[in-house]
Amino acid sequence: MVLELKCVSKTYGSVTALKDISFGVSKGAWISIMGPSGSGKTTLLNLIGCLDKPTSGQILLDGVEISKLSEKELTRIRREKIGFVFQQFHLVSHLTALENVMLAQYYHSMPDEEEALAALERVGLKDRACHLPSQLSGGEQQRVCIARALINYPSLILSDEPTGNLDEANEKAVIELFEELHQQGHTIIMVTHDPEIGALAERKLLLDHGQLMPR
Amino acid sequence: MRKTQVFWRFLYAALVKRRSRILISLLALVVGTAVTAGLINVYYDVQAKMSKEFRTYGANLVVEPEDGVALQEPELTAVEKVVGGQDVVGSTPLLYHVVDTTGSSLVLVGIDLKEAKKVFPYWEIRGKWPETKNEALLGFEAAGKMLIKPGAQLEVLDRKTRVKTVLTIVGLVSSGDEVDNQLVVGLDLAREVSGREGEADQVYLSVIGHGEKVTQLATEISRLQGVKARPITRISTAEGRIMEKITGLVALAVAVILSLTGLCVGTTMLAAVVERRKEIGLKKALGASPGDVMKEFLSEALALGFIGGLAGWLLGFLVAQGIGYSVFQDSVALRWLTLPWTLLVSGVLTVTASWLPVQKAMSVDPAVVLRGE
C-alpha cells in the first residue's frame, strides 16, 4: 500500500469537513475523488498531501504515519513523496517553464537542467522550455505543472481538478498524459467534478458532507 | 548544476523579470541612499570647507608673552616651529609702539606684511597694500581726522629717541576695530622705530579647524616656555556652534530620509508578499521550508539594497558635487569610505524594512492559498 487512511476526521471549529474516512491506495493505482462542492474533496487531498493535519485518525504514506509529524517533517515528506498538479497550475510567473520544473528539483535535492528538459520533453514541451508561463496556453501550463510533479519520482501524484481550467482540446491532451502516467505505473489520486474523467480512474471515491459514500 | 548556481538564477529572474514591480522600492532606495551618501560626502567635506570659509573672519588664536612684557626671538621661533606642522592659513607677529605725528600721537603696529593679508582677510584697503619698508597703511578714522589721503607722506617721531621716520601712506585700512585708528607698517620698520629688535607683543594665528582643534593648538603652544596662547573665543565658539548645528541637521535629515525610505521599501515588500502568496504557497508545497522562503526574500531585499545602494552612492556623489559647487564654489572630494558605509546602510535598511513582510511570507499556509476555485 502506498497510502492508507484509517478513520481520518478533520474539523474546523464546529464544522466537520471530513468524518471517519478510511481507504487504501495500492502502488500504481488511479483513484478519483468525486463529490459536490463543499463535500471535503480538497480537504482530503490537503491531508494526503501533507499540507494539513487530521484532527483524528491515521494516515500512512509508504508505511510512515504522517498525521502526527511536525511541520518540518511534513515539508520533507512533501518534497520527497508528493507531486502536486493544481487546477490553477500555480507556476511561478517570473520563471521559465524549464525553471519551474527545476524549482521542484531545487527544493528536493540537486537541480539538473538536462533532466528537467527531459521531463518537459515527456509532456511534449521541450521547445517551449524557455517560455514564461504567460507565453504558454492553459494546457501547456498544466503540462509544465505535470512535468514538475513528476521530476522527483514521487510516490504519489495528487491532482486537484487538473482540467478544471482547460478547454476541451487541452483537457483531452492532459487526460491522455495522465493515462500515460498511469500506464507507466504512477500512483494518481485525482479530485474531479467531471464524471467522464472520474470514470477513467480504476477506482472512484464519492464524498458527500465529509463522508465516503458506499460504492 | 550546483544548487547555488540555480539559487542565483532564480534570484536574477525574480529581480529582472519582476523589475516593474520592484521599481518603486528601488527608486526609493536610490533616492534615499543618494541623499544620505550626498549629505555624508558633503558633511565630511563641509568641516574643512566651512573652516576655510570661517577664516575670512580672521585670526582665531592669539599668542601672548607669559610675563606680559614681550615675546622674544627664541619664543617666536618656538611658536613658529609648533605652528609649522599645523593646518594654518596664516600667522603674523604684532608689535605695538606709540609714535608722534604732527599734532597728535598714533599707535604704530608692525605686522608681517605678507602673512597679515591671510590673517586679516576682512581688512578693507583703499589704495594698495604696503610692499616696501617705508610704505604704510593708515587707519580709516585716523586718516579722516588727519585729513590724509593715499599717497601722502607722514612723518613719525619716536617719543624717546626723537628719531624721525618718513612714511608713505599707500592705503587706508578699514577693519571695524582699533586698527581704524592705527598706523600699520612692516614688522622690521616697527622694530627699528621702537628699538625692540627681535620682539613682538602678540602673534595672531588663523587656524583651520574649529572649537577643539584650536583649543588643542592653544594648549600645545602654551606648553612652550614664556608664552601663553588662547583661542579668540567669539570666532572659534561660533564656528563650533555652527558645526554642531550642521552635524545635527545632517543627522536629522539622514534619519528622516532613511525612515521614509525604509517605510517605502517595507510597504512595497509587504505588497509583494501579498501579491506573491500563491508563489510562496507553491514553493512550500514543493518542499520549501519557512527558512528557505526567508532566505529567498531576504536575498532579494539584500540584492535590491545593494543595487539601490550602489546607484544611490553614485548619484549621491553627484548631489554632493552640486551642493559643493553651489554653496562653496568648490568640488567635493570622492570619499571611497562612504561606499561601504552606504552599501551597509542600504543593506541593513532593506533587511530591516523587509523583516515584517518576510515573517508574513514565512507564515503563508499553502493549503489556504493554493485552494482551487
Side-chain angles (χ1 to χ4, degrees):
Chain A
M1 273 305 171
V2 175
L3 178 75
E4 208 173 348
L5 279 81
K6 295 177 183 171
C7 299
V8 171
S9 294
K10 178 72 184 175
T11 55
Y12 297 101
S14 58
V15 178
T16 304
L18 291 173
K19 195 177 174 187
D20 284 334
I21 306 287
S22 298
F23 67 90
V25 178
S26 52
K27 191 168 164 41
W30 180 350
I31 308 287
S32 66
I33 301 172
M34 300 185 71
S37 290
S39 59
K41 302 186 298 291
T42 302
T43 305
L44 180 59
L45 211 63
N46 284 346
L47 292 181
I48 298 168
C50 301
L51 292 172
D52 210 348
K53 286 184 193 179
T55 313
S56 64
Q58 284 186 314
I59 303 174
L60 283 94
L61 182 60
D62 278 341
V64 178
E65 226 281 64
I66 58 168
S67 41
K68 300 281 186 288
L69 294 181
S70 66
E71 282 300 324
K72 197 177 168 187
E73 287 165 321
L74 286 177
T75 302
R76 184 180 56 80
I77 299 273
R78 278 203 301 272
R79 193 156 55 207
E80 291 172 359
K81 295 189 181 296
I82 315 277
F84 288 98
V85 179
F86 305 96
Q87 180 184 1
Q88 321 247 308
F89 324 133
H90 294 309
L91 296 172
V92 178
S93 59
H94 57 263
L95 297 182
T96 61
L98 180 70
E99 287 165 343
N100 265 287
V101 178
M102 287 169 70
L103 191 67
Q105 289 179 313
Y106 175 78
Y107 292 121
H108 180 268
S109 51
M110 206 56 82
D112 182 338
E113 197 166 341
E114 291 303 313
E115 200 182 355
L117 207 57
L120 281 176
E121 193 174 13
R122 212 166 142 192
V123 297
L125 286 177
K126 193 183 177 185
D127 57 334
R128 312 285 275 168
C130 294
H131 286 65
L132 289 172
S134 57
Q135 296 163 326
L136 301 173
S137 71
E140 286 171 331
Q141 287 188 53
Q142 193 58 295
R143 276 145 68 192
V144 175
C145 197
I146 292 168
R148 182 180 64 192
L150 292 174
I151 193 72
N152 295 325
Y153 307 100
S155 305
L156 209 53
I157 295 171
L158 299 182
S159 181
D160 192 0
E161 302 273 10
T163 56
N165 273 352
L166 302 179
D167 56 34
E168 209 174 320
N170 277 312
E171 179 183 307
K172 194 166 170 267
V174 167
I175 288 305
E176 277 172 10
L177 206 52
F178 271 100
E179 283 178 317
E180 214 176 289
L181 293 177
H182 176 52
Q183 279 159 17
Q184 287 163 2
H186 288 278
T187 312
I188 303 165
I189 297 180
M190 184 187 284
V191 163
T192 181
H193 265 109
D194 191 330
E196 272 182 49
I197 294 168
L200 293 171
E202 57 195 26
R203 190 171 148 209
K204 273 192 287 184
L205 298 175
L206 192 64
L207 270 178
D208 193 22
H209 291 95
Q211 285 183 296
L212 269 184
M213 295 288 105
R215 272 175 281 178
Chain B
M1 188 176 276
R2 290 173 63 182
K3 213 166 173 174
T4 43
Q5 272 178 292
V6 178
F7 172 79
W8 286 111
R9 183 170 171 174
F10 290 167
L11 181 64
Y12 175 79
L15 293 173
V16 173
K17 292 179 187 153
R18 295 185 69 255
R19 58 185 177 275
S20 59
R21 307 291 170 97
I22 60 171
L23 200 64
I24 293 173
S25 275
L26 194 63
L27 271 178
L29 270 171
V30 171
V31 172
T33 48
V35 176
T36 305
L39 283 177
I40 292 171
N41 258 312
V42 170
Y43 172 71
Y44 276 121
D45 244 53
V46 90
Q47 302 212 18
K49 286 197 162 49
M50 286 293 282
S51 280
K52 273 185 192 161
E53 291 284 319
F54 276 126
R55 293 303 93 239
T56 55
Y57 293 115
N60 53 357
L61 187 67
V62 59
V63 181
E64 287 167 331
E66 205 170 32
D67 56 12
V69 181
L71 292 164
Q72 304 298 328
E73 188 79 62
E75 291 153 5
L76 288 171
T77 314
V79 170
E80 221 168 87
K81 212 172 165 187
V82 172
V83 169
Q86 302 288 332
D87 216 353
V88 172
V89 172
S91 72
T92 175
L94 282 96
L95 181 82
Y96 300 99
H97 186 67
V98 181
V99 290
D100 287 334
T101 59
T102 332
S104 66
S105 62
L106 270 176
V107 174
L108 180 85
V109 190
I111 54 167
D112 181 330
L113 287 174
K114 220 172 165 186
E115 286 286 301
K117 264 188 179 176
K118 296 182 239 167
V119 182
F120 307 111
Y122 58 95
W123 280 8
E124 276 180 40
I125 309 293
R126 217 178 84 201
K128 70 177 188 83
W129 189 264
E131 275 160 13
T132 59
K133 195 178 168 187
N134 280 52
E135 288 182 342
L137 289 172
L138 184 60
F140 190 71
E141 283 183 23
K145 284 178 211 159
M146 297 163 76
L147 302 170
I148 288 178
K149 286 183 178 168
Q153 302 279 312
L154 182 67
E155 213 176 80
V156 296
L157 275 171
D158 178 64
R159 281 189 165 176
K160 283 183 197 163
T161 60
R162 305 311 286 173
V163 172
K164 189 170 75 179
T165 311
V166 179
L167 301 170
T168 308
I169 304 300
V170 291
L172 303 184
V173 55
S174 171
S175 70
D177 54 27
E178 63 274 10
V179 178
D180 289 356
N181 284 303
Q182 293 172 345
L183 181 62
V184 181
V185 294
L187 188 63
D188 292 344
L189 183 77
R191 280 173 172 166
E192 209 176 289
V193 171
S194 63
R196 293 169 62 191
E197 201 50 45
E199 286 185 12
D201 292 306
Q202 289 176 320
V203 177
Y204 267 49
L205 295 154
S206 182
V207 184
I208 293 177
H210 56 88
E212 260 178 48
K213 196 177 171 188
V214 178
T215 313
Q216 208 180 329
L217 184 60
T219 314
E220 208 174 316
I221 295 172
S222 295
R223 283 201 201 106
L224 299 171
Q225 212 181 355
V227 299
K228 57 178 183 185
R230 60 180 168 83
I232 300 175
T233 47
R234 69 188 159 90
I235 303 281
S236 60
T237 310
E239 277 188 53
R241 277 195 197 138
I242 290 172
M243 286 315 298
E244 257 174 49
K245 280 179 186 168
I246 289 176
T247 309
L249 201 65
V250 168
L252 185 71
V254 166
V256 169
I257 289 160
L258 290 184
S259 305
L260 288 175
T261 307
L263 211 61
C264 186
V265 173
T267 314
T268 320
M269 280 303 265
L270 193 64
V273 168
V274 172
E275 184 197 304
R276 294 169 73 183
R277 64 192 190 285
K278 287 200 172 174
E279 177 194 326
I280 300 162
L282 167 80
K283 285 176 173 176
K284 280 186 157 183
L286 293 179
S289 64
D292 289 327
V293 174
M294 178 171 82
K295 188 176 144 194
E296 285 173 27
F297 270 81
L298 283 185
S299 302
E300 281 182 32
L302 265 176
L304 205 64
F306 181 78
I307 299 165
L310 193 64
W313 178 78
L314 282 169
L315 194 64
F317 179 64
L318 297 178
V319 168
Q321 293 305 322
I323 295 174
Y325 277 111
S326 67
V327 180
F328 302 107
Q329 288 78 48
D330 196 4
S331 65
V332 170
L334 175 68
R335 284 170 201 276
W336 288 103
L337 193 68
T338 55
L339 177 61
W341 277 109
T342 307
L343 292 181
L344 184 73
V345 166
S346 180
V348 169
L349 182 75
T350 40
V351 169
T352 311
S354 306
W355 195 254
L356 269 177
V358 167
Q359 297 301 313
K360 204 174 166 63
M362 286 165 73
S363 65
V364 164
D365 184 352
V368 174
V369 297
L370 299 178
R371 202 180 287 275
E373 283 165 16

